[in-house]
Amino acid sequence: MFRRILFLMTVMAMVIAPATQIVAQDDEYGESPMLAERVAAGELPPVAERLPENPAVVVPFNEVGTYGGQFRMGFVGSNPGWGGMWYVVGWENLVIWKPDFSGVDPNIAESWEVSDDVREYTFHLRKGMKWSDGAPFTADDIMFYVEDVLFNEEINTAGPVADWLPTTRADEFRAEKIDDYTVKLIFAEPQGTFLYNLATWAGRHLTWFPKHYLTQFHVDYNPDIDALIEAEEGVEDWVGLFNKKASGPTDDTNNYFLEPDRPLLFPWIIKEPLGTGTQILMERNPYYWKVDTEGNQLPYIDTILGISYQDGEGRTFAMLNGDLDYVKDPGDENRVIYFEAVDEGKPIKISTAISDGANSNSIHFNRTVADPVKAEIFANKDFRIGMSYAINRAEIIEIVHNGQGTPAQVGPLESSPLYSEQLATQYVEYDVDLANEYLDKVLPDKDDEGFRLGPDGNRFSIVLLVSNDLSYSSNWEQVAELLTGYWAEVGVEVIMNSMPNTQFVENKRANTMDMALYTGEGGAGITAILDPRYHIPMEYFGIFGNGWFAWRVNSSDSTQVEPPDWAKDYRTKFEVEVLGATTQDEQVAKMQEILQMSADEFWVIGISRPGLGYQPYHERIGNMPDEWIAGWIEGVQKIKYPEQWFLKE
């Protein structure tokens, strides 16, 4: 006996079109004139032969669009993916979020069944679905990933590791091919939230590996692979070659934008990589497997031009000038500029981004740092409470966030069934006297300049690491500068060290960081369950226990620190009681217990609830929703279904 689990998440009311629907279609499909010309020339089979028997049907947000044109997207730096393009041209998993974030819909998977104990998930794929090169996409592709990538001991030296796969008893996971278009995934323990994880970034790899193409780079399939290794620049062995050509499982999106020959399941495919230039060109996938409600093959837009800018200012100017159609993360500092541009009649519209985030930033004191004195002080709750009371959150909101938001710690939003008043509101008052009172319990002595001394009699100095080149970190330096000033007023010396994210990651892996400023996920609906990074130990971005994560996944490229037993118990409780719950009510109830523990432990410090965001776009873009739920869990732009955007004449 099987049942499907759908968990309706509590979110802000939105006026938006329905999610992807699966409806019957006849053989009369429409297609882009660009592709019709290729069919007429004999370069492509007819559209009905390129689509699966039952294509996914996307209901346009506002209207059925028109074909053609080039969409221009700007990003900063040399990585198109993390610059924003990944969320527009990628993120196609077995299931997809409904646009109102109320649950998941079929996507690459046409349908599924779930066993009563939520251990077995049977997915039915779309018959006749094809990769971008025309080769069939079947159960063999998923089995190739599971058997030859996930469980390959040379690729995954620490055993099977994946974002969607639980760490407990991971080696007991197995997949079964039922037929060419049916796969059963079997877990050792109940996985009640698996469908939701599949819609997130975590679900990417299950449908990421085209077997017919990638076997040439796999040692078990190609006896002559040494010749390919020798010919490929920048790789030393077959694993490096495979990861480069597969764009994963370790390299992910960056290599994807560098390999035009790699077959994909995405609406647009790479035509001209960025290389050493400033532009990347992507072209519609002739075998894309979605249509609109009138049977027109998607996407509507023919090509996407990604343009690299040296800095955010240049990108903003191009957007205001009408030279771009879209940018991700326009920046709080530019909010007034963009709204004034609309008032001035610039060719710009603005939609409202409703953040799913719990906080504008999280502040982590790394209790696994090698310095035992710092580790002990960072683990002292009184120290963290004192540092929290020292923050003038109202001033940060006014100066950095243009008055948008309210003081808060990192925790689910008031609209979420997981909301905890204690977690959200404790220690958020700006109270220098209280800050000093708590800090005096931990570091009572001061030097002649008023800075606190450590147990060794030397000034207790902390280095705060900040990534400065992420698309969403444009104001982090400004936040950090204000924080260091507030903490200096209560005698704690904190020195900001701003760096590119690649260097930040190096420090993270080496565990050479005292503290860090980062994002604040986990606000709307049940996102705190799907991304519990700030509420349980041993998460990748749970920097408060940085070395613990490396220990949990047995990372070979990071410094491991074994967690204490109590931290392991926290982790086990989450994995067994929350992820293993078989009903939505039980999941919520058990996660509320975890969040109470998080409130009591006070793992990280937050600053403010994110205010309403804004998203500028060129007025010629059609089918852009007036408001949308924006967040990493939702795939950022992907929840807006970019394949149904179109260019107005």
Side-chain angles (χ1 to χ4, degrees):
M1 178 178 180
F2 296 91
R3 62 185 173 85
R4 181 173 297 178
I5 299 176
L6 283 181
F7 188 100
L8 299 180
M9 289 173 272
T10 305
V11 294
M12 297 181 70
M14 297 179 63
V15 179
I16 201 165
T20 304
Q21 298 178 358
I22 307 303
V23 298
Q25 294 283 338
D26 56 25
D27 290 334
E28 298 298 324
Y29 294 108
E31 66 177 330
S32 165
M34 172 183 177
L35 297 181
E37 292 177 0
R38 295 179 61 187
V39 172
E43 299 175 2
L44 284 175
V47 61
E49 296 179 17
R50 302 198 308 269
L51 289 167
E53 291 181 12
N54 186 19
V57 179
V58 177
V59 180
F61 283 166
N62 299 313
E63 58 185 310
V64 171
T66 56
Y67 285 119
Q70 184 172 88
F71 179 87
R72 305 158 302 172
M73 184 166 182
F75 60 92
V76 177
S78 60
N79 191 317
W82 298 137
M85 292 187 67
W86 167 253
Y87 314 103
V88 172
V89 303
W91 210 294
E92 296 283 6
N93 300 346
L94 284 169
V95 301
I96 192 170
W97 290 112
K98 298 176 184 290
D100 63 358
F101 196 43
S102 64
V104 297
D105 268 329
N107 199 46
I108 290 174
E110 182 177 281
S111 60
W112 58 83
E113 296 92 39
V114 184
S115 63
D116 284 338
D117 62 0
V118 293
R119 289 182 53 249
E120 299 183 1
Y121 289 76
T122 303
F123 291 97
H124 303 280
L125 308 177
R126 299 181 185 278
K127 293 181 180 179
M129 184 171 165
K130 298 175 177 64
W131 292 94
S132 57
D133 63 355
F137 169 77
T138 69
D140 289 334
D141 295 301
I142 294 178
M143 295 303 296
F144 171 71
Y145 162 61
V146 173
E147 296 177 345
D148 297 303
V149 180
L150 181 65
F151 277 88
N152 185 283
E153 294 180 354
E154 292 183 77
I155 294 176
N156 286 304
T157 57
V161 175
D163 296 345
W164 56 269
L165 185 65
T167 53
T168 56
R169 302 176 68 182
D171 57 341
E172 297 178 50
F173 167 82
R174 57 193 176 94
E176 291 182 3
K177 175 184 174 181
I178 308 301
D179 58 42
D180 285 347
Y181 293 98
T182 310
V183 175
K184 180 183 288 187
L185 306 181
I186 305 169
F187 297 92
E189 296 176 343
Q191 297 299 316
T193 59
F194 181 55
L195 286 178
Y196 303 113
N197 282 325
L198 285 184
T200 71
W201 165 254
R204 67 200 181 282
H205 281 148
L206 278 163
T207 54
W208 184 253
F209 295 87
K211 180 178 180 179
H212 72 283
Y213 175 75
L214 292 177
T215 48
Q216 64 182 309
F217 308 115
H218 199 296
V219 70
D220 292 345
Y221 291 87
N222 185 358
D224 300 318
I225 197 169
D226 286 344
L228 295 180
I229 297 170
E230 185 176 350
E232 188 69 30
E233 184 178 353
V235 300
E236 298 180 355
D237 53 27
W238 82 266
V239 173
L241 175 68
F242 183 86
N243 281 334
K244 181 178 181 180
K245 296 299 183 180
S247 308
T250 56
D251 292 328
D252 293 316
T253 67
N254 194 32
N255 278 359
Y256 151 60
F257 287 96
L258 300 175
E259 296 290 333
D261 294 333
R262 185 196 192 285
L264 298 164
L265 297 174
F266 301 153
W268 295 274
I269 57 178
I270 295 90
K271 185 72 173 177
E272 298 175 8
L274 183 66
T276 58
T278 60
Q279 296 186 349
I280 175 173
L281 179 65
M282 306 195 71
E283 187 176 271
R284 65 167 56 254
N285 174 4
Y287 294 92
Y288 191 56
W289 37 277
K290 294 182 184 180
V291 298
D292 66 18
T293 49
E294 295 185 1
N296 299 305
Q297 186 189 29
L298 296 172
Y300 292 127
I301 295 171
D302 283 337
T303 61
I304 292 183
L305 182 68
I307 305 172
S308 172
Y309 291 86
Q310 291 185 345
D311 52 50
E313 289 78 6
R315 187 185 67 160
T316 299
F317 178 80
M319 187 71 196
L320 293 170
N321 200 42
D323 297 329
L324 292 174
D325 295 307
Y326 202 89
V327 297
K328 179 182 178 291
D329 300 316
D332 283 343
E333 70 278 9
N334 294 319
R335 178 186 292 267
V336 174
I337 296 174
Y338 275 112
F339 277 93
E340 287 180 347
V342 173
D343 294 337
E344 294 168 2
K346 299 275 190 181
I348 289 175
K349 289 188 175 181
I350 295 176
S351 62
T352 300
I354 302 171
S355 175
D356 83 335
N359 214 276
S360 55
N361 287 107
S362 56
I363 300 164
H364 300 246
F365 294 95
N366 178 18
R367 58 178 69 191
T368 68
V369 68
D371 185 329
V373 174
K374 287 184 176 178
E376 181 179 357
I377 291 172
F378 293 163
N380 190 313
K381 182 179 175 181
D382 286 335
F383 174 76
R384 300 193 298 278
I385 292 174
M387 295 292 275
S388 182
Y389 276 132
I391 300 172
N392 188 339
R393 291 173 171 83
E395 186 172 72
I396 293 178
I397 291 169
E398 185 62 31
I399 293 176
V400 180
H401 302 301
N402 295 294
Q404 298 289 311
T406 55
Q409 301 291 1
V410 183
L413 302 175
E414 288 79 353
S415 59
S416 167
L418 298 170
Y419 175 67
S420 163
E421 183 176 3
Q422 176 188 342
L423 181 59
T425 63
Q426 62 185 355
Y427 320 126
V428 297
E429 298 88 352
Y430 176 48
D431 193 321
V432 174
D433 291 338
L434 265 179
N436 281 314
E437 179 181 328
Y438 276 93
L439 291 171
D440 285 345
K441 298 178 184 180
V442 186
L443 300 169
D445 300 325
K446 297 181 180 179
D447 62 19
D448 294 341
E449 296 182 51
F451 284 100
R452 296 180 183 273
L453 304 177
D456 57 1
N458 296 317
R459 180 180 294 185
F460 187 73
S461 183
I462 312 170
V463 177
L464 169 62
L465 299 193
V466 179
S467 293
N468 60 20
D469 62 345
L470 295 170
S471 62
Y472 44 85
S473 67
S474 60
N475 60 21
W476 288 7
E477 286 182 331
Q478 188 179 14
V479 172
E481 287 172 354
L482 289 169
L483 290 173
T484 58
Y486 302 145
W487 289 326
E489 290 180 11
V490 294
V492 179
E493 182 177 72
V494 178
I495 301 169
M496 178 182 68
N497 187 359
S498 176
M499 60 185 61
N501 193 58
T502 52
Q503 186 179 346
F504 181 92
V505 172
E506 290 174 3
N507 280 274
K508 187 180 185 308
R509 288 175 176 167
N511 200 33
T512 53
M513 51 169 56
D514 292 344
M515 64 180 297
L517 185 73
Y518 216 72
T519 57
E521 276 77 7
I526 62 165
T527 55
I529 294 177
L530 303 178
D531 190 353
R533 61 177 73 179
Y534 304 134
H535 305 298
I536 58 170
M538 292 178 261
E539 287 288 296
Y540 178 78
F541 284 114
I543 303 171
F544 63 87
N546 187 59
W548 294 344
F549 170 80
W551 176 89
R552 177 170 73 87
V553 300
N554 193 24
S555 176
S556 59
D557 66 353
S558 301
T559 299
Q560 299 184 25
V561 178
E562 183 173 359
D565 288 342
W566 59 263
K568 296 176 184 177
D569 292 342
Y570 272 82
R571 184 81 202 181
T572 300
K573 180 178 176 64
F574 171 76
E575 293 183 346
V576 173
E577 297 183 11
V578 179
L579 298 185
T582 59
T583 69
Q584 60 188 46
D585 289 342
E586 187 180 359
Q587 290 171 11
V588 169
K590 291 300 182 181
M591 190 62 191
Q592 286 172 336
E593 294 179 12
I594 293 290
L595 292 170
Q596 181 59 53
M597 297 163 69
S598 177
D600 293 339
E601 290 290 343
F602 191 45
W603 300 110
V604 299
I605 298 174
I607 295 175
S608 64
R609 291 294 198 205
L612 291 176
Y614 74 103
Q615 177 61 62
Y617 62 96
H618 198 289
E619 62 182 9
R620 71 180 187 140
I621 306 299
N623 282 339
M624 192 72 67
D626 292 333
E627 55 184 27
W628 52 291
I629 295 178
W632 171 250
I633 289 288
E634 297 81 10
V636 196
Q637 274 71 32
K638 186 59 186 179
I639 201 169
K640 296 196 288 184
Y641 291 70
E643 60 270 21
Q644 55 88 54
W645 297 349
F646 70 99
L647 303 180
K648 301 176 184 178
E649 294 182 357

